Amino acid sequence: MRNSALALTIGMASMAASASESMSFVSWGGSTQEAQEEAWAVPFSAIHDIKVIQDGPTDYGKLKAMVESGNVQWDLVDVEADFAYRAAAEGLLEPLDFSVIDTTNIDPRFVSDYGIGSFYFSFVLAYNKNRLSSEPSSWQQLFDLENYPGKRALYKWPSPGVLELALIADGVEPANLYPLDLDRAFAKLDTIKDDIIWWGGGAQSQQLLASGEVSMGMFWNGRVFSLQADGLPVGVSWKDNLVMSDFLVIPKGAKNKDAAMKFLAYSTSAQGQADFSTLTAYSPINTKSSEIIDAGLNAYLPTNYTDDQVSLDYQYWAKNGLEISKRWNNWLLK
């Protein structure tokens, strides 16, 4: 059930149209950005009389080109956490104003001088119950083709997640993941390479799992929740769920920086985060949000499985991601 505060603000959307100020918000599109608009932009505009113009999808090359040209058209951008750290190091982002943005109750894993988490999610092991005679419970079983037959679904982009789960499946303790042993990780992936179907977006991942084209794989927890809510025969294991986050950042030279700071403050507030989680089943980065979220949703949120979480190292990927990408792409072509 959606939070009543959120429902009340939807009726105020028309107020934003006459706002005296405006700013742009850039995200990935689809259901995630729709939820961000509903949970954040509509109530924010009603409160602050600032119109939020939706744009996207997020494009790192475009963001960098804007900053370098001095013609920045974006004000607040939803990016992956490792990019946020890398962009900050490259001088592409505005430092945040913590007199406007209250981080008192924000999980410190998702706070930096140049970006704050927009939400966090987990890569989880999910499976189609109709395709397997027994239910897998760990990343190790993702690599057990004999006892758990079928194709595997993995995220195709060279970013935090796939290499880590391969190492965990090969016996590396989560506390010892970094620096990544790339030789070992790719060797483990080689054992199932011919049975991998790569997905690049949430809708594609859901189709692979729901149709039974894959028997199991790694998925964003919110997409699995959506399938389960629709009554599909999908199971999930939270063991060693891999925590990933998007960050909200302000490109250097943003024309509406002050408005963007205010919007960032609202979107990371307890209410803003609770409303977004209610719509998506992604976890809030504000620790006070859980007091507002309907208790029935907790079983589907990563915040309910913190004892089994593995926090991916965004700063390691920010420093090493480009080199890893080269090796990743070469491996895919072999």
Side-chain angles (χ1 to χ4, degrees), residues 2-13 42-43 46 275:
R2 295 185 179 182
N3 190 284
S4 58
L6 175 62
L8 287 172
T9 60
I10 302 307
M12 303 184 211
V42 171
D275 290 342

Side-chain angles (χ1 to χ4, degrees), residues 16-50:
S18 59
S20 58
E21 293 182 66
S22 65
M23 57 160 285
S24 64
F25 174 67
V26 179
S27 191
W28 303 95
S31 59
T32 296
Q33 190 162 356
E34 290 171 1
Q36 289 169 326
E37 181 176 18
E38 184 174 342
W40 302 341
V42 171
F44 170 80
S45 293
I47 293 168
H48 292 281
D49 195 29
I50 298 173

Side-chain angles (χ1 to χ4, degrees), residues 80-86 108-112 121 123 158-165 167-168 173-182 240-247 309-322 324:
E80 292 167 298
D82 53 315
F83 176 81
Y85 282 103
R86 187 163 64 249
R109 291 180 296 176
F110 311 120
V111 178
S112 74
F121 59 91
F123 282 117
S159 62
V162 175
L163 297 175
E164 285 88 345
L165 73 83
L167 290 171
I168 291 172
E173 290 296 321
N176 300 325
L177 280 173
Y178 300 97
L180 296 176
D181 185 336
L182 297 179
D240 294 325
N241 66 93
L242 304 171
V243 173
M244 185 62 177
S245 175
D246 275 16
F247 270 43
Q309 282 182 0
V310 178
S311 292
L312 300 173
D313 191 334
Y314 315 134
Q315 296 189 57
Y316 169 85
W317 275 89
K319 295 176 182 177
N320 300 283
L322 295 179
I324 293 174

Side-chain angles (χ1 to χ4, degrees), residues 43-184:
F44 170 80
S45 293
I47 293 168
H48 292 281
D49 195 29
I50 298 173
K51 183 178 181 180
V52 180
I53 301 168
Q54 300 293 320
D55 201 354
T58 297
D59 183 313
Y60 299 151
K62 189 173 182 179
L63 185 153
K64 184 175 183 179
M66 284 183 182
V67 174
E68 291 177 345
S69 70
N71 184 25
V72 180
Q73 301 298 315
W74 292 347
D75 297 313
L76 188 66
V77 186
D78 188 306
V79 303
E80 292 167 298
D82 53 315
F83 176 81
Y85 282 103
R86 187 163 64 249
E90 294 175 1
L92 300 176
L93 305 178
E94 293 281 353
L96 300 182
D97 184 348
F98 293 109
S99 69
V100 176
I101 304 162
D102 182 6
T103 61
T104 304
N105 297 312
I106 295 179
D107 188 323
R109 291 180 296 176
F110 311 120
V111 178
S112 74
D113 290 339
Y114 293 86
I116 296 181
S118 55
F119 60 92
Y120 86 84
F121 59 91
S122 289
F123 282 117
V124 294
L125 176 68
Y127 49 92
N128 186 307
K129 295 180 179 180
N130 291 341
R131 290 295 314 277
L132 297 171
S133 58
S134 58
E135 299 187 356
S137 59
S138 70
W139 295 119
Q140 285 83 357
Q141 289 157 343
L142 182 74
F143 292 83
D144 185 353
L145 295 170
E146 181 178 351
N147 294 307
Y148 300 89
K151 297 291 185 180
R152 276 29 178 177
L154 294 181
Y155 191 48
K156 75 176 183 179
W157 305 115
S159 62
V162 175
L163 297 175
E164 285 88 345
L165 73 83
L167 290 171
I168 291 172
D170 203 44
V172 176
E173 290 296 321
N176 300 325
L177 280 173
Y178 300 97
L180 296 176
D181 185 336
L182 297 179
D183 290 342
R184 185 171 178 178

